[in-house]
Amino acid sequence: MTKLLIGSHVGMKARKFLLGSVEEALSYNATTFMFYTGAPQNTRRKPVSELRVDEAKALMKEYGIDLNNIVVHAPYIINLGNTVKKETYELAVSFLKEEIRRVEEIGATRLVLHPGAHVKAGEEAGLNAIIDGLNEVLTPDTRVTIALETMAGKGTELGTSFDQLAYIIDHVNLSDQLGLCLDTCHLNDAGYDVTQFDDILDEVDQKIGLDRVKVIHVNDSKNPRGAHKDRHENIGYGTIGFDTLNKIVHNPRLENVPKILETPYINDQPPYKEEIEMFENNTFNDHLKQDLS
Ligand code: FE
Ligand code: FE
Ligand code: ZN
């Protein structure tokens, strides 16, 4: 039995930076992790040379965490789909270029991106702006794969269906550098039936290619299927439930895809060690919320 490739999003803050991220991941017994290169809600970034990357890599090596399996999440304020405010689109393009460079300097290969939102200009205008933006950002030398995340459909979000995601990927020139991040909460909230995950994977395979799936975000949802809300719940405490999420995590077709928890803290405490343990043991921990209270 190979170990599950699973972890959570972790912090990256002064003074330990990426070394602290790895230490946090190891404290959850994780085999991978996801982080932002700075605050997710702004674009202020420290130079990579200050992020203690070499020490982080040494610790990862010691514990068998593969650099190719860790995930960076681009800040969620960047919106390539904005055709209404030119500055927003331009900031998104320039920041994303920078972010790719930073991720390459770190040596990671998987960068999750929210495709964008059309801010009432309509689906087609938004999708075409995203395509233009990705065409501006990708070069023949780009080594990271941008994993476009499936979105819940809150507001005017795009990337809420595999047809939209296929449309983007089909129209980007250097599309070898594009992949997918499947978020279970977002898929549920967008209207997909995640209890039939193999059907979802079949659709992905037919429309986009299963080999494009680079990250799974494993989250329960506070809302029913199709609610278009995007509110994550702890594993087993939401409308998706433990059994469905456990099957997804153990699906052999996703064995080599990093699975990342983005579930909420419970009373200011991270639930990730316990949630990873649930999947390792194939058993729902129904006293998780009490234990962390
Ligand atoms: Fe995300
Ligand atoms: Fe997500
Ligand atoms: Zn979300």
Side-chain angles (χ1 to χ4, degrees):
M1 266 292 278
T2 48
K3 262 199 127 193
L4 278 175
L5 190 52
I6 191 165
S8 68
H9 71 112
V10 295
M12 198 200 45
K13 41 191 183 300
R15 303 181 349 262
K16 286 198 160 180
F17 296 107
L18 197 60
L19 177 61
S21 309
V22 178
E23 287 174 349
E24 184 182 343
L26 292 172
S27 77
Y28 306 144
N29 297 320
T31 50
T32 181
F33 61 92
M34 180 175 82
F35 65 103
Y36 289 86
T37 62
Q41 70 277 11
N42 70 44
T43 55
R44 260 174 290 131
R45 293 293 180 266
K46 271 207 176 310
V48 172
S49 58
E50 291 175 30
L51 300 181
R52 302 183 71 170
V53 173
D54 290 342
E55 292 160 277
K57 283 183 186 169
L59 188 59
M60 284 167 62
K61 196 167 178 206
E62 191 182 336
Y63 284 88
I65 296 180
D66 188 337
L67 195 58
N68 279 312
N69 287 332
I70 68 170
V71 182
V72 180
H73 198 310
Y76 43 70
I77 54 149
I78 68 178
N79 182 10
L80 291 176
N82 195 328
T83 56
V84 178
K85 231 171 128 195
K86 205 166 170 241
E87 310 90 83
T88 306
Y89 171 83
E90 279 167 0
L91 175 75
V93 170
S94 63
F95 185 84
L96 195 52
K97 279 184 188 165
E98 280 282 297
E99 186 76 344
I100 289 170
R101 207 195 43 70
R102 257 191 306 274
V103 175
E104 286 176 343
E105 197 178 336
I106 291 168
T109 60
R110 298 170 200 246
L111 175 62
V112 171
L113 175 72
H114 293 179
H118 66 70
V119 288
K120 295 187 180 151
E123 190 180 311
E124 206 185 329
L127 289 173
N128 288 331
I130 293 167
I131 291 162
D132 291 343
L134 291 170
N135 277 331
E136 280 195 62
V137 159
L138 294 171
T139 75
D141 303 321
T142 305
R143 281 172 287 125
V144 305
T145 301
I146 298 179
L148 301 169
E149 184 164 357
T150 58
M151 302 308 289
K154 191 167 42 100
T156 64
E157 272 173 0
L158 295 163
T160 55
S161 72
F162 295 115
D163 292 307
Q164 287 184 351
L165 293 161
Y167 178 82
I168 296 170
I169 292 171
D170 287 345
H171 287 86
V172 169
N173 300 324
L174 298 167
S175 59
D176 283 358
Q177 250 32 260
L178 293 179
L180 291 177
C181 167
L182 309 182
D183 185 309
T184 56
C185 168
H186 298 177
L187 285 168
N188 173 78
D189 287 22
Y192 285 95
D193 182 1
V194 294
T195 66
Q196 308 300 314
F197 213 72
D198 273 302
D199 293 348
I200 292 178
L201 295 180
D202 289 344
E203 186 182 340
V204 170
D205 200 30
Q206 186 218 323
K207 293 180 175 168
I208 298 171
L210 202 57
D211 55 331
R212 296 258 194 195
V213 178
K214 299 298 174 191
V215 183
I216 309 287
H217 283 171
V218 184
N219 302 306
D220 214 324
S221 174
K222 286 193 195 290
N223 290 286
R225 183 180 158 195
H228 303 297
K229 290 280 199 209
D230 189 5
R231 292 195 60 213
H232 303 183
E233 179 56 282
N234 292 104
I235 301 302
Y237 287 86
T239 57
I240 299 174
F242 178 74
D243 290 343
T244 293
L245 293 168
N246 194 46
K247 271 191 217 139
I248 295 168
V249 163
H250 290 277
N251 190 313
R253 297 163 82 184
L254 303 171
E255 190 182 349
N256 299 316
V257 182
K259 288 127 201 129
I260 303 291
L261 296 154
E262 306 175 293
T263 51
Y265 273 37
I266 300 166
N267 292 300
D268 297 323
Q269 295 170 86
Y272 307 122
K273 183 172 191 271
E274 288 80 1
E275 290 184 332
I276 288 170
E277 207 168 71
M278 286 194 220
F279 291 125
E280 293 285 358
N281 300 337
N282 293 287
T283 313
F284 176 50
N285 173 354
D286 65 357
H287 46 89
L288 169 68
K289 285 207 175 182
Q290 280 163 290
D291 288 355
L292 294 182
S293 290

